[in-house]
Amino acid sequence: ILMVHYVTFLLEVPPPSCLYEGFHLSYSDKELLEREDRGESQQEILRRIAKDLPIYTRTNSGAIRFCDRCQLLKPDRCHHCSVCDKCILKMDHHCPWVNNCVGFSNYKFFMLFLLYSLLYCLFITATDLKYFIKFWLNGLPDTQAKFHILFLFFSASMFSVSLASLFIYHCWLVCKNRSTLEAVRAPVFRHGTDKSGFSLGCSKNFRQVFGDEVKYWPVPVFSSLGDGCSFPTCLVNLDPEQPPSPIGPIPTTKSAAEGRQFPSKPLRESQSRLLTTTPSWSDNEGHCVPGASNPIMIIEHEA
């Protein structure tokens, strides 16, 4: 029980200002945006700010995502929570059970919270089962304990079923490297929507959330890879003058090569390690090929 309460405490999302200061507009940039009309001149200002930032996902209209309330260029997989009234890195959902958002900084803790709670409910169900059987066979004394045993068994059983369903679903999301929001609405890249754009294979997807060191996987210690602002992806732009790569399959047509594009931007060491290691690249729903080029960015406000 103490472990469950500890994990719940760790589910607190840190302030966004300390996570992605580079994506916030400076005071001078805000003044420029306020003075300019909402048109091409404003887009030029945003394009200048975003050109060195690892921003690859777009709005449905093909524009760089911008948050008017937080006054920042949204990092990839970042969304604004109307309940918390702030942008959350790699936002999964707003959880009413912990009264907070689940995102990059606490997704591992949320998974462990589900696991610990599920194991606790299964333990209660298993230990109460023999007394529940005696209750049906009228083998218990006629006291108020009968109601307690009945209530405890059904409560633990129902919570076990619901927690198991939720935990299995989030395990599937981890293996696919998707958030709940991305499972509902696929992220938009330059070539269009792609629900598997961030998937690097089951093993690498799992290590993005739980880290490289196995000893930290079952304990509530932050070990996720990256900074939450940029993510490695299997979507790349192939250079026709480069030799074929032996790591993954290469599209054979020009349209296929131009259709899967992902620009070259700086990644942290832990993220780059996911791209350079040799284990499985391919996922069941897409192919990953190393390579990169710079995109032509169209920037406007997100609807």
Side-chain angles (χ1 to χ4, degrees):
I1 298 177
L2 291 176
M3 184 65 74
V4 171
H5 285 294
Y6 177 53
V7 174
T8 306
F9 171 76
L10 291 174
L11 284 171
E12 181 70 24
V13 178
S17 58
C18 65
L19 293 176
Y20 42 93
E21 294 181 356
F23 293 84
H24 284 274
L25 270 63
S26 64
Y27 181 77
S28 59
D29 291 331
K30 291 179 182 179
E31 285 189 334
L32 288 175
L33 286 176
E34 291 175 356
R35 288 199 299 263
E36 296 290 347
D37 295 333
R38 294 187 177 274
E40 183 61 30
S41 58
Q42 193 176 45
Q43 293 182 18
E44 288 295 331
I45 298 174
L46 296 177
R47 185 179 297 111
R48 173 180 56 82
I49 302 172
K51 66 179 181 179
D52 295 325
L53 295 176
I55 298 176
Y56 312 126
T57 55
R58 303 184 175 193
T59 64
N60 291 329
S61 61
I64 293 295
R65 303 182 307 136
F66 178 78
C67 181
D68 287 312
R69 289 190 62 86
C70 298
Q71 289 294 295
L72 60 83
L73 297 172
K74 290 184 180 180
D76 290 341
R77 316 181 80 175
C78 175
H79 297 274
H80 186 88
C81 177
S82 58
V83 180
C84 298
D85 195 25
K86 61 183 178 181
C87 286
I88 306 298
L89 294 177
K90 194 187 175 183
M91 181 177 175
D92 188 88
H93 68 286
H94 183 88
C95 181
W97 295 100
V98 298
N99 192 30
N100 211 338
C101 275
V102 177
F104 170 78
S105 61
N106 59 2
Y107 190 66
K108 176 191 173 182
F109 302 123
F110 177 73
M111 292 291 294
L112 294 180
F113 172 70
L114 294 179
L115 177 61
Y116 297 157
S117 302
L118 175 59
L119 294 178
Y120 179 69
C121 290
L122 291 176
F123 174 77
I124 295 298
T125 303
T127 54
D128 192 47
L129 180 60
K130 63 178 181 179
Y131 299 103
F132 181 76
I133 295 176
K134 288 183 180 181
F135 170 81
W136 282 107
L137 299 178
N138 296 322
L140 290 178
D142 191 11
T143 62
Q144 293 183 351
K146 284 187 174 182
F147 173 76
H148 296 161
I149 292 174
L150 184 65
F151 176 78
L152 183 62
F153 180 81
F154 277 108
S155 298
S157 300
M158 289 186 295
F159 273 106
S160 297
V161 173
S162 60
L163 286 171
S165 302
L166 186 60
F167 180 69
I168 292 174
Y169 173 69
H170 278 278
C171 287
W172 178 80
L173 290 178
V174 169
C175 293
K176 296 294 183 179
N177 203 349
R178 299 175 197 166
S179 64
T180 301
L181 294 177
E182 292 169 349
V184 175
R185 185 176 59 183
V188 182
F189 296 91
R190 182 180 178 183
H191 66 279
T193 59
D194 195 318
K195 60 183 178 180
S196 299
F198 293 106
S199 180
L200 302 176
C202 184
S203 175
K204 294 180 181 180
N205 295 340
F206 182 86
R207 286 191 286 127
Q208 270 196 2
V209 176
F210 288 88
D212 289 327
E213 300 192 40
V214 180
K215 63 181 179 181
Y216 293 133
W217 290 356
V219 295
V221 176
F222 183 81
S223 58
S224 301
L225 301 181
D227 57 1
C229 296
S230 59
F231 299 89
T233 180
C234 65
L235 303 180
V236 299
N237 183 37
L238 297 176
D239 187 350
E241 297 181 359
Q242 295 294 327
S245 172
I247 300 180
I250 295 180
T252 56
T253 64
K254 181 179 180 181
S255 59
E258 294 176 350
R260 304 183 68 82
Q261 299 177 346
F262 197 83
S264 177
K265 294 286 184 176
L267 293 173
R268 289 179 178 262
E269 180 182 356
S270 58
Q271 296 171 319
S272 300
R273 212 164 47 238
L274 290 173
L275 292 175
T276 55
T277 48
T278 55
S280 173
W281 271 74
S282 60
D283 195 41
N284 292 333
E285 302 170 4
H287 298 293
C288 306
V289 188
S293 71
N294 292 324
I296 301 175
M297 296 189 295
I298 303 173
I299 306 176
E300 62 185 35
H301 298 291
E302 183 178 13

